[in-house]
Amino acid sequence: MKKWGFFVMIILLLGVGFRYFGPSSQQENKLMNEQRLVRGETATNSESNTGSNTESNTESNTNKNSAANTVSIDITEDQVYQGDLLLVNKEYPVREESVKADIVNLFEQKDLVQGYGLLDTNIRLSKSVAQTFLKMIEDAKGDKVNNFLISSGYRDFEEQDGLYQQKGSDYALPAGYSEHNLGLSLDIGSTEAEMSTASEGKWLKENAWKHGFILRYPEDKTAITGIQYEPWHFRYVGMPHSAIMQERGFTLEEYVDFLRDNQNLLTEIDGKYYEVTYHPVSDDTAIELPAGRKYEISGNNIDGVIITME
């Protein structure tokens, strides 16, 4: 009986050993290890994917932020021939689309004719230019200079042709080749004396640039402009361009060439910063500009546009 008990105990011990150390146990352990490896690989891949997504999202956000910091503006070829900085001379004529759209008869605009006179009742000019001229005249009054009059402003092509036929090439330009065909230029006189000696002429020569006007045909630049000295002829180009031209002694020809050569100009005027850029235009195109900045666009009447940002 004791022997049988001994044999039963041996059999039980063998069964337990086979359970833990036999082939089935080894297979289970291998399976558990494989499961651990799979779980480890999955975690590693998860970390890898998380890092990749983070980089991708960061790059995407950067692109979005970059896009949010710029604005795309469409430029048409017609814009080359529109604006306040158009160069008009014997080489570059005025086109129909170049003429200012707000031309008015000054005699009919009583609120615009205060503090100065008109040579006749048919003088026309861009309304916005006339408004700026009025502010300039008020400024001159502060310096006790107040005998201004406008002798000529905008002329249509028919008027210009009549003037050319009457006075000839020595005193007039053919229709389309005069700045007067734009609506941006005016001949300013004095009721006291010739503009070359009048206090009005001297004041304008020193101060007109502060209001966006330039003396278009200076005495020492006839070789560049192709026009004799005209102390009465002023042209509106706007700020900061008039200030830059005054400081550098540029005619409009020289200024347009300077921008085409350099393409970018930064300047500060009375604490305000401006960036002026030139962009060649051959077909309709898009230009990227910093978002949130005020800007103006003008063609140069040659081959591109000039963008002025504040």
Side-chain angles (χ1 to χ4, degrees):
M1 192 68 184
K2 290 182 180 179
K3 290 181 179 180
W4 282 107
F6 176 78
F7 287 137
V8 170
M9 186 176 292
I10 292 297
I11 291 171
L12 290 174
L13 288 173
L14 288 174
V16 171
F18 186 81
R19 168 69 179 84
Y20 285 98
F21 302 103
S24 177
S25 174
Q26 292 176 2
Q27 187 172 357
E28 287 179 6
N29 289 338
K30 180 180 179 181
L31 179 61
M32 291 174 65
N33 289 332
E34 288 178 349
Q35 289 174 341
R36 291 192 187 98
L37 288 173
V38 169
R39 285 195 296 271
E41 289 175 357
T42 301
T44 302
N45 287 338
S46 176
E47 290 178 5
S48 175
N49 289 335
T50 300
S52 176
N53 289 336
T54 301
E55 292 176 2
S56 177
N57 289 336
T58 300
E59 182 177 357
S60 175
N61 289 334
T62 300
N63 291 335
K64 288 180 180 178
N65 289 336
S66 177
N69 291 332
T70 62
V71 59
S72 179
I73 59 173
D74 295 325
I75 302 294
T76 64
E77 193 172 356
D78 287 346
Q79 287 179 273
V80 174
Y81 310 104
Q82 299 171 359
D84 293 340
L85 292 173
L86 298 182
L87 175 63
V88 175
N89 54 28
K90 295 178 180 179
E91 189 175 355
Y92 303 107
V94 175
R95 300 192 179 202
E96 290 289 346
E97 62 266 33
S98 304
V99 180
K100 296 292 286 185
D102 62 342
I103 302 295
V104 295
N105 184 314
L106 293 180
F107 185 75
E108 298 172 355
Q109 306 286 320
K110 302 300 183 182
D111 59 322
L112 293 178
V113 187
Q114 298 180 21
Y116 68 92
L118 298 174
L119 186 63
D120 59 56
T121 61
N122 297 316
I123 293 175
R124 293 176 290 170
L125 193 64
S126 159
K127 185 174 183 178
S128 61
V129 173
Q131 290 169 336
T132 305
F133 176 76
L134 182 59
K135 293 177 182 177
M136 181 168 67
I137 294 305
E138 291 174 352
D139 190 21
K141 286 181 181 178
D143 293 330
K144 299 181 179 179
V145 180
N146 51 20
N147 295 301
F148 294 95
L149 66 81
I150 297 179
S151 58
S152 183
Y154 167 73
R155 305 184 198 122
D156 60 31
F157 288 6
E158 184 178 352
E159 287 176 293
Q160 187 67 35
D161 183 62
L163 187 65
Y164 180 72
Q165 297 299 329
Q166 177 186 354
K167 294 192 173 184
S169 59
D170 289 340
Y171 297 96
L173 291 166
Y177 290 85
S178 170
E179 284 195 335
H180 285 284
N181 300 145
L182 282 175
L184 292 168
S185 292
L186 62 163
D187 292 343
I188 307 172
S190 168
T191 59
E192 298 295 310
E194 294 288 335
M195 284 295 280
S196 58
T197 58
S199 57
E200 287 73 22
K202 293 177 181 178
W203 188 92
L204 287 174
K205 192 173 182 179
E206 294 180 4
N207 298 283
W209 66 269
K210 300 175 184 177
H211 298 271
F213 290 92
I214 60 169
L215 176 63
R216 182 65 179 90
Y217 305 118
E219 189 172 12
D220 59 343
K221 299 281 185 164
T222 57
I224 295 172
T225 64
I227 302 295
Q228 64 182 352
Y229 176 44
E230 294 188 357
W232 57 82
H233 184 107
F234 285 81
R235 158 73 187 270
Y236 181 79
V237 294
M239 291 288 282
H241 312 290
S242 59
I244 297 170
M245 294 169 68
Q246 175 76 11
E247 180 182 2
R248 295 173 180 258
F250 282 161
T251 62
L252 187 54
E253 283 83 359
E254 292 172 306
Y255 184 53
V256 167
D257 284 344
F258 176 82
L259 292 177
R260 291 171 74 198
D261 290 341
N262 293 274
Q263 300 194 353
N264 186 278
L265 174 66
L266 297 173
T267 188
E268 178 191 359
I269 300 169
D270 293 333
K272 183 181 289 187
Y273 292 88
Y274 298 88
E275 182 175 4
V276 183
T277 57
Y278 160 77
H279 305 265
V281 177
S282 56
D283 297 303
D284 294 355
T285 186
I287 297 175
E288 296 292 327
L289 296 178
R293 293 184 66 178
K294 182 180 178 182
Y295 66 87
E296 294 181 355
I297 302 174
S298 173
N300 64 3
N301 204 36
I302 305 173
D303 57 6
V305 296
I306 297 164
I307 298 179
T308 307
M309 293 180 288
E310 295 183 16

mmCIF file of all heavy atoms in Angstrom, residues 28-61:
data_model
loop_
_atom_site.group_PDB
_atom_site.id
_atom_site.type_symbol
_atom_site.label_atom_id
_atom_site.label_comp_id
_atom_site.label_asym_id
_atom_site.label_seq_id
_atom_site.Cartn_x
_atom_site.Cartn_y
_atom_site.Cartn_z
ATOM 1 N N GLU A 28 4.129 28.462 -24.813
ATOM 2 C CA GLU A 28 3.359 29.556 -24.221
ATOM 3 C C GLU A 28 4.273 30.742 -23.879
ATOM 4 O O GLU A 28 3.921 31.896 -24.106
ATOM 5 C CB GLU A 28 2.644 29.080 -22.965
ATOM 6 C CG GLU A 28 1.470 28.166 -23.268
ATOM 7 C CD GLU A 28 0.788 27.698 -22.004
ATOM 8 O OE1 GLU A 28 1.185 28.207 -20.924
ATOM 9 O OE2 GLU A 28 -0.121 26.882 -22.086
ATOM 10 N N ASN A 29 5.458 30.412 -23.297
ATOM 11 C CA ASN A 29 6.400 31.476 -22.950
ATOM 12 C C ASN A 29 6.859 32.244 -24.187
ATOM 13 O O ASN A 29 6.988 33.463 -24.189
ATOM 14 C CB ASN A 29 7.617 30.903 -22.231
ATOM 15 C CG ASN A 29 7.271 30.427 -20.822
ATOM 16 O OD1 ASN A 29 6.279 30.876 -20.242
ATOM 17 N ND2 ASN A 29 8.074 29.515 -20.294
ATOM 18 N N LYS A 30 7.118 31.481 -25.279
ATOM 19 C CA LYS A 30 7.531 32.112 -26.531
ATOM 20 C C LYS A 30 6.443 33.055 -27.052
ATOM 21 O O LYS A 30 6.691 34.162 -27.500
ATOM 22 C CB LYS A 30 7.850 31.026 -27.563
ATOM 23 C CG LYS A 30 8.297 31.602 -28.898
ATOM 24 C CD LYS A 30 8.606 30.479 -29.882
ATOM 25 C CE LYS A 30 9.017 31.036 -31.219
ATOM 26 N NZ LYS A 30 9.295 29.977 -32.207
ATOM 27 N N LEU A 31 5.184 32.587 -26.951
ATOM 28 C CA LEU A 31 4.053 33.376 -27.398
ATOM 29 C C LEU A 31 3.924 34.657 -26.584
ATOM 30 O O LEU A 31 3.685 35.746 -27.111
ATOM 31 C CB LEU A 31 2.769 32.550 -27.301
ATOM 32 C CG LEU A 31 1.480 33.262 -27.725
ATOM 33 C CD1 LEU A 31 1.564 33.681 -29.184
ATOM 34 C CD2 LEU A 31 0.283 32.345 -27.501
ATOM 35 N N MET A 32 4.122 34.528 -25.244
ATOM 36 C CA MET A 32 4.041 35.696 -24.385
ATOM 37 C C MET A 32 5.139 36.695 -24.731
ATOM 38 O O MET A 32 4.905 37.915 -24.781
ATOM 39 C CB MET A 32 4.147 35.289 -22.915
ATOM 40 C CG MET A 32 2.922 34.505 -22.406
ATOM 41 S SD MET A 32 3.143 33.885 -20.729
ATOM 42 C CE MET A 32 3.246 35.430 -19.856
ATOM 43 N N ASN A 33 6.367 36.183 -24.999
ATOM 44 C CA ASN A 33 7.472 37.071 -25.364
ATOM 45 C C ASN A 33 7.203 37.783 -26.683
ATOM 46 O O ASN A 33 7.489 38.967 -26.850
ATOM 47 C CB ASN A 33 8.785 36.298 -25.455
ATOM 48 C CG ASN A 33 9.289 35.872 -24.084
ATOM 49 O OD1 ASN A 33 8.986 36.551 -23.089
ATOM 50 N ND2 ASN A 33 10.051 34.795 -24.032
ATOM 51 N N GLU A 34 6.655 37.058 -27.636
ATOM 52 C CA GLU A 34 6.317 37.644 -28.930
ATOM 53 C C GLU A 34 5.263 38.740 -28.754
ATOM 54 O O GLU A 34 5.329 39.789 -29.393
ATOM 55 C CB GLU A 34 5.809 36.565 -29.884
ATOM 56 C CG GLU A 34 6.907 35.627 -30.370
ATOM 57 C CD GLU A 34 6.366 34.542 -31.270
ATOM 58 O OE1 GLU A 34 5.129 34.395 -31.347
ATOM 59 O OE2 GLU A 34 7.181 33.860 -31.914
ATOM 60 N N GLN A 35 4.293 38.451 -27.852
ATOM 61 C CA GLN A 35 3.276 39.458 -27.612
ATOM 62 C C GLN A 35 3.879 40.723 -27.001
ATOM 63 O O GLN A 35 3.498 41.845 -27.330
ATOM 64 C CB GLN A 35 2.191 38.897 -26.692
ATOM 65 C CG GLN A 35 1.314 37.846 -27.376
ATOM 66 C CD GLN A 35 0.339 37.201 -26.413
ATOM 67 O OE1 GLN A 35 0.520 37.263 -25.196
ATOM 68 N NE2 GLN A 35 -0.703 36.579 -26.965
ATOM 69 N N ARG A 36 4.875 40.498 -26.080
ATOM 70 C CA ARG A 36 5.546 41.655 -25.487
ATOM 71 C C ARG A 36 6.298 42.447 -26.554
ATOM 72 O O ARG A 36 6.296 43.682 -26.563
ATOM 73 C CB ARG A 36 6.514 41.197 -24.392
ATOM 74 C CG ARG A 36 5.847 40.641 -23.154
ATOM 75 C CD ARG A 36 6.847 40.478 -22.026
ATOM 76 N NE ARG A 36 6.265 39.802 -20.905
ATOM 77 C CZ ARG A 36 6.396 38.500 -20.647
ATOM 78 N NH1 ARG A 36 7.110 37.731 -21.466
ATOM 79 N NH2 ARG A 36 5.830 37.956 -19.585
ATOM 80 N N LEU A 37 6.974 41.774 -27.465
ATOM 81 C CA LEU A 37 7.716 42.424 -28.538
ATOM 82 C C LEU A 37 6.781 43.222 -29.438
ATOM 83 O O LEU A 37 7.065 44.346 -29.835
ATOM 84 C CB LEU A 37 8.480 41.388 -29.372
ATOM 85 C CG LEU A 37 9.695 40.764 -28.684
ATOM 86 C CD1 LEU A 37 10.263 39.635 -29.561
ATOM 87 C CD2 LEU A 37 10.777 41.809 -28.463
ATOM 88 N N VAL A 38 5.662 42.633 -29.756
ATOM 89 C CA VAL A 38 4.687 43.314 -30.601
ATOM 90 C C VAL A 38 4.194 44.574 -29.932
ATOM 91 O O VAL A 38 4.098 45.638 -30.519
ATOM 92 C CB VAL A 38 3.513 42.380 -30.958
ATOM 93 C CG1 VAL A 38 2.393 43.171 -31.609
ATOM 94 C CG2 VAL A 38 3.988 41.265 -31.873
ATOM 95 N N ARG A 39 3.892 44.420 -28.592
ATOM 96 C CA ARG A 39 3.433 45.596 -27.873
ATOM 97 C C ARG A 39 4.518 46.673 -27.840
ATOM 98 O O ARG A 39 4.254 47.850 -27.976
ATOM 99 C CB ARG A 39 3.015 45.219 -26.458
ATOM 100 C CG ARG A 39 1.683 44.493 -26.390
ATOM 101 C CD ARG A 39 1.163 44.476 -24.979
ATOM 102 N NE ARG A 39 2.024 43.726 -24.079
ATOM 103 C CZ ARG A 39 1.894 42.397 -23.850
ATOM 104 N NH1 ARG A 39 0.961 41.705 -24.469
ATOM 105 N NH2 ARG A 39 2.704 41.804 -23.002
ATOM 106 N N GLY A 40 5.776 46.262 -27.699
ATOM 107 C CA GLY A 40 6.887 47.209 -27.677
ATOM 108 C C GLY A 40 7.056 47.882 -29.011
ATOM 109 O O GLY A 40 7.253 49.095 -29.109
ATOM 110 N N GLU A 41 6.963 47.144 -30.127
ATOM 111 C CA GLU A 41 7.101 47.709 -31.463
ATOM 112 C C GLU A 41 5.964 48.677 -31.765
ATOM 113 O O GLU A 41 6.162 49.729 -32.352
ATOM 114 C CB GLU A 41 7.105 46.595 -32.507
ATOM 115 C CG GLU A 41 8.375 45.761 -32.490
ATOM 116 C CD GLU A 41 8.266 44.594 -33.456
ATOM 117 O OE1 GLU A 41 7.200 44.436 -34.068
ATOM 118 O OE2 GLU A 41 9.256 43.866 -33.586
ATOM 119 N N THR A 42 4.773 48.282 -31.310
ATOM 120 C CA THR A 42 3.621 49.139 -31.553
ATOM 121 C C THR A 42 3.795 50.482 -30.854
ATOM 122 O O THR A 42 3.519 51.540 -31.408
ATOM 123 C CB THR A 42 2.333 48.460 -31.056
ATOM 124 O OG1 THR A 42 2.189 47.219 -31.733
ATOM 125 C CG2 THR A 42 1.132 49.341 -31.303
ATOM 126 N N ALA A 43 4.305 50.447 -29.632
ATOM 127 C CA ALA A 43 4.523 51.684 -28.893
ATOM 128 C C ALA A 43 5.571 52.540 -29.582
ATOM 129 O O ALA A 43 5.442 53.755 -29.684
ATOM 130 C CB ALA A 43 4.952 51.369 -27.454
ATOM 131 N N THR A 44 6.646 51.880 -30.081
ATOM 132 C CA THR A 44 7.702 52.615 -30.766
ATOM 133 C C THR A 44 7.179 53.277 -32.026
ATOM 134 O O THR A 44 7.439 54.434 -32.303
ATOM 135 C CB THR A 44 8.859 51.663 -31.141
ATOM 136 O OG1 THR A 44 9.348 51.058 -29.952
ATOM 137 C CG2 THR A 44 9.978 52.420 -31.826
ATOM 138 N N ASN A 45 6.390 52.522 -32.786
ATOM 139 C CA ASN A 45 5.811 53.087 -34.007
ATOM 140 C C ASN A 45 4.861 54.230 -33.693
ATOM 141 O O ASN A 45 4.788 55.208 -34.406
ATOM 142 C CB ASN A 45 5.047 52.001 -34.784
ATOM 143 C CG ASN A 45 6.002 51.015 -35.443
ATOM 144 O OD1 ASN A 45 7.157 51.343 -35.673
ATOM 145 N ND2 ASN A 45 5.514 49.810 -35.704
ATOM 146 N N SER A 46 4.142 54.070 -32.585
ATOM 147 C CA SER A 46 3.215 55.122 -32.181
ATOM 148 C C SER A 46 3.964 56.405 -31.876
ATOM 149 O O SER A 46 3.569 57.491 -32.270
ATOM 150 C CB SER A 46 2.406 54.666 -30.962
ATOM 151 O OG SER A 46 1.568 55.701 -30.516
ATOM 152 N N GLU A 47 5.123 56.261 -31.131
ATOM 153 C CA GLU A 47 5.934 57.431 -30.837
ATOM 154 C C GLU A 47 6.481 58.044 -32.112
ATOM 155 O O GLU A 47 6.500 59.245 -32.295
ATOM 156 C CB GLU A 47 7.087 57.044 -29.911
ATOM 157 C CG GLU A 47 6.649 56.691 -28.507
ATOM 158 C CD GLU A 47 7.810 56.279 -27.661
ATOM 159 O OE1 GLU A 47 8.942 56.364 -28.153
ATOM 160 O OE2 GLU A 47 7.588 55.881 -26.511
ATOM 161 N N SER A 48 6.929 57.179 -33.029
ATOM 162 C CA SER A 48 7.472 57.651 -34.291
ATOM 163 C C SER A 48 6.430 58.415 -35.085
ATOM 164 O O SER A 48 6.680 59.490 -35.621
ATOM 165 C CB SER A 48 8.006 56.470 -35.104
ATOM 166 O OG SER A 48 8.436 56.901 -36.368
ATOM 167 N N ASN A 49 5.228 57.838 -35.155
ATOM 168 C CA ASN A 49 4.160 58.490 -35.901
ATOM 169 C C ASN A 49 3.775 59.818 -35.263
ATOM 170 O O ASN A 49 3.497 60.789 -35.933
ATOM 171 C CB ASN A 49 2.926 57.584 -35.987
ATOM 172 C CG ASN A 49 3.168 56.391 -36.911
ATOM 173 O OD1 ASN A 49 4.017 56.468 -37.796
ATOM 174 N ND2 ASN A 49 2.440 55.309 -36.682
ATOM 175 N N THR A 50 3.777 59.831 -33.918
ATOM 176 C CA THR A 50 3.436 61.062 -33.215
ATOM 177 C C THR A 50 4.430 62.151 -33.544
ATOM 178 O O THR A 50 4.072 63.299 -33.817
ATOM 179 C CB THR A 50 3.404 60.825 -31.699
ATOM 180 O OG1 THR A 50 2.423 59.823 -31.414
ATOM 181 C CG2 THR A 50 3.054 62.114 -30.957
ATOM 182 N N GLY A 51 5.730 61.809 -33.555
ATOM 183 C CA GLY A 51 6.756 62.778 -33.895
ATOM 184 C C GLY A 51 6.606 63.264 -35.310
ATOM 185 O O GLY A 51 6.735 64.452 -35.603
ATOM 186 N N SER A 52 6.337 62.356 -36.239
ATOM 187 C CA SER A 52 6.170 62.719 -37.639
ATOM 188 C C SER A 52 4.986 63.640 -37.822
ATOM 189 O O SER A 52 5.059 64.638 -38.536
ATOM 190 C CB SER A 52 5.994 61.455 -38.483
ATOM 191 O OG SER A 52 5.735 61.783 -39.819
ATOM 192 N N ASN A 53 3.881 63.328 -37.150
ATOM 193 C CA ASN A 53 2.699 64.172 -37.260
ATOM 194 C C ASN A 53 2.953 65.557 -36.686
ATOM 195 O O ASN A 53 2.484 66.560 -37.210
ATOM 196 C CB ASN A 53 1.513 63.529 -36.533
ATOM 197 C CG ASN A 53 1.000 62.298 -37.289
ATOM 198 O OD1 ASN A 53 1.202 62.202 -38.492
ATOM 199 N ND2 ASN A 53 0.347 61.391 -36.573
ATOM 200 N N THR A 54 3.731 65.595 -35.587
ATOM 201 C CA THR A 54 4.037 66.878 -34.971
ATOM 202 C C THR A 54 4.825 67.752 -35.921
ATOM 203 O O THR A 54 4.536 68.936 -36.100
ATOM 204 C CB THR A 54 4.829 66.676 -33.665
ATOM 205 O OG1 THR A 54 4.046 65.881 -32.777
ATOM 206 C CG2 THR A 54 5.155 68.026 -33.024
ATOM 207 N N GLU A 55 5.853 67.139 -36.571
ATOM 208 C CA GLU A 55 6.642 67.890 -37.527
ATOM 209 C C GLU A 55 5.784 68.349 -38.681
ATOM 210 O O GLU A 55 5.879 69.480 -39.149
ATOM 211 C CB GLU A 55 7.804 67.040 -38.030
ATOM 212 C CG GLU A 55 8.847 66.749 -36.967
ATOM 213 C CD GLU A 55 9.931 65.828 -37.489
ATOM 214 O OE1 GLU A 55 9.854 65.476 -38.681
ATOM 215 O OE2 GLU A 55 10.830 65.488 -36.732
ATOM 216 N N SER A 56 4.941 67.456 -39.178
ATOM 217 C CA SER A 56 4.076 67.788 -40.304
ATOM 218 C C SER A 56 3.119 68.910 -39.946
ATOM 219 O O SER A 56 2.916 69.850 -40.711
ATOM 220 C CB SER A 56 3.288 66.549 -40.740
ATOM 221 O OG SER A 56 2.391 66.863 -41.777
ATOM 222 N N ASN A 57 2.535 68.800 -38.724
ATOM 223 C CA ASN A 57 1.601 69.830 -38.285
ATOM 224 C C ASN A 57 2.308 71.164 -38.100
ATOM 225 O O ASN A 57 1.782 72.218 -38.415
ATOM 226 C CB ASN A 57 0.922 69.420 -36.978
ATOM 227 C CG ASN A 57 -0.071 68.281 -37.194
ATOM 228 O OD1 ASN A 57 -0.565 68.106 -38.304
ATOM 229 N ND2 ASN A 57 -0.329 67.522 -36.147
ATOM 230 N N THR A 58 3.555 71.112 -37.552
ATOM 231 C CA THR A 58 4.320 72.339 -37.362
ATOM 232 C C THR A 58 4.598 73.012 -38.687
ATOM 233 O O THR A 58 4.451 74.216 -38.842
ATOM 234 C CB THR A 58 5.656 72.033 -36.649
ATOM 235 O OG1 THR A 58 5.377 71.443 -35.381
ATOM 236 C CG2 THR A 58 6.470 73.309 -36.461
ATOM 237 N N GLU A 59 5.015 72.193 -39.679
ATOM 238 C CA GLU A 59 5.287 72.743 -41.006
ATOM 239 C C GLU A 59 4.027 73.319 -41.622
ATOM 240 O O GLU A 59 4.036 74.391 -42.222
ATOM 241 C CB GLU A 59 5.861 71.645 -41.899
ATOM 242 C CG GLU A 59 6.231 72.135 -43.288
ATOM 243 C CD GLU A 59 6.861 71.033 -44.127
ATOM 244 O OE1 GLU A 59 7.055 69.925 -43.584
ATOM 245 O OE2 GLU A 59 7.137 71.279 -45.301
ATOM 246 N N SER A 60 2.910 72.599 -41.428
ATOM 247 C CA SER A 60 1.638 73.072 -41.968
ATOM 248 C C SER A 60 1.237 74.392 -41.328
ATOM 249 O O SER A 60 0.797 75.323 -41.999
ATOM 250 C CB SER A 60 0.548 72.023 -41.735
ATOM 251 O OG SER A 60 -0.706 72.492 -42.145
ATOM 252 N N ASN A 61 1.407 74.462 -39.995
ATOM 253 C CA ASN A 61 1.057 75.687 -39.290
ATOM 254 C C ASN A 61 1.946 76.845 -39.730
ATOM 255 O O ASN A 61 1.499 77.985 -39.837
ATOM 256 C CB ASN A 61 1.175 75.493 -37.775
ATOM 257 C CG ASN A 61 0.073 74.586 -37.233
ATOM 258 O OD1 ASN A 61 -1.000 74.494 -37.830
ATOM 259 N ND2 ASN A 61 0.332 73.938 -36.108
#
